């Protein structure tokens, strides 16, 4: 699914599904305590609006076009893992993030450089 704040996609393991209902309850309880409106149906649709994508034995998957569009994914794709979810980035979108993302940006740039070097070496060996 699309991340609610960043221009990237979010993925997580199926083991996280039970946590989403508890998260929905917590968010509703907090809104009530703060006297704010809370549309449980809309938030539920956002939290549970993900699709399950199967991985093959090599760890590959096919990303549906609508997700590629939502995440502004073109030729490159960078995975940033950590915590309860991981993010999938178009490297150009990641490059626009602030200094908090310096480590991820450096890793992504390094991977892109390595991929370009391998592509150039492969082209030269033909």
């Amino acid at each position: 699914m699309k991340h609610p704040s960043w221009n990237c996609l979010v993925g997580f393991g199926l083991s996280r599904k039970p946590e989403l209902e508890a998260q929905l309850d917590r968010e509703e309880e907090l809104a009530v305590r703060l006297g704010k409106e809370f549309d449980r149906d809309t938030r539920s649709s956002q939290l549970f609006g993900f699709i399950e994508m199967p991985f093959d034995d090599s760890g590959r998957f096919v990303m549906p076009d609508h997700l590629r569009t939502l995440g502004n994914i073109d030729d490159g794709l960078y995975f940033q893992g950590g915590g309860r979810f991981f993010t999938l980035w178009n490297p150009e979108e990641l490059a626009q993030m602030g200094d908090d993302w310096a480590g991820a940006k450096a890793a992504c740039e390094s991977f892109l450089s390595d991929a370009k070097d391998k592509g150039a070496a492969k082209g030269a060996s033909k």
Side-chain angles (χ1 to χ4, degrees):
M1 69 174 57
K2 179 152 180 11
H3 191 278
S5 304
W6 307 323
N7 199 14
C8 67
L9 299 176
V10 177
F12 52 87
L14 295 178
S15 62
R16 184 153 182 249
K17 284 173 65 174
E19 295 176 28
L20 297 177
E21 193 67 42
Q23 179 179 340
L24 187 61
D25 291 341
R26 283 191 310 273
E27 290 178 10
E28 183 175 32
E29 181 181 325
L30 180 61
V32 168
R33 277 200 323 249
L34 296 175
K36 295 184 176 185
E37 288 190 32
F38 184 79
D39 184 337
R40 188 175 181 97
D41 292 334
T42 297
R43 187 60 178 137
S44 180
S45 179
Q46 292 168 341
L47 287 176
F48 292 95
F50 58 85
I51 63 167
E52 293 181 22
M53 293 193 312
F55 289 78
D56 70 13
D57 292 339
S58 297
R60 297 174 296 194
F61 64 93
V62 176
M63 185 180 299
D65 287 339
H66 76 278
L67 289 178
R68 290 174 58 95
T69 300
L70 277 175
N72 194 26
I73 305 296
D74 285 324
D75 294 333
L77 184 62
Y78 176 75
F79 287 76
Q80 175 67 28
R84 298 178 323 190
F85 63 90
F86 59 93
T87 53
L88 299 90
W89 293 88
N90 173 334
E92 293 174 9
E93 294 292 338
L94 179 59
Q96 295 177 33
M97 296 299 287
D99 290 342
D100 291 346
W101 290 88
K105 293 190 305 188
C108 184
E109 289 171 13
S110 177
F111 292 137
L112 286 173
S113 178
D114 289 349
K116 286 178 185 173
D117 290 346
K118 286 179 184 176
K122 192 174 189 178
S125 65
K126 286 185 177 180

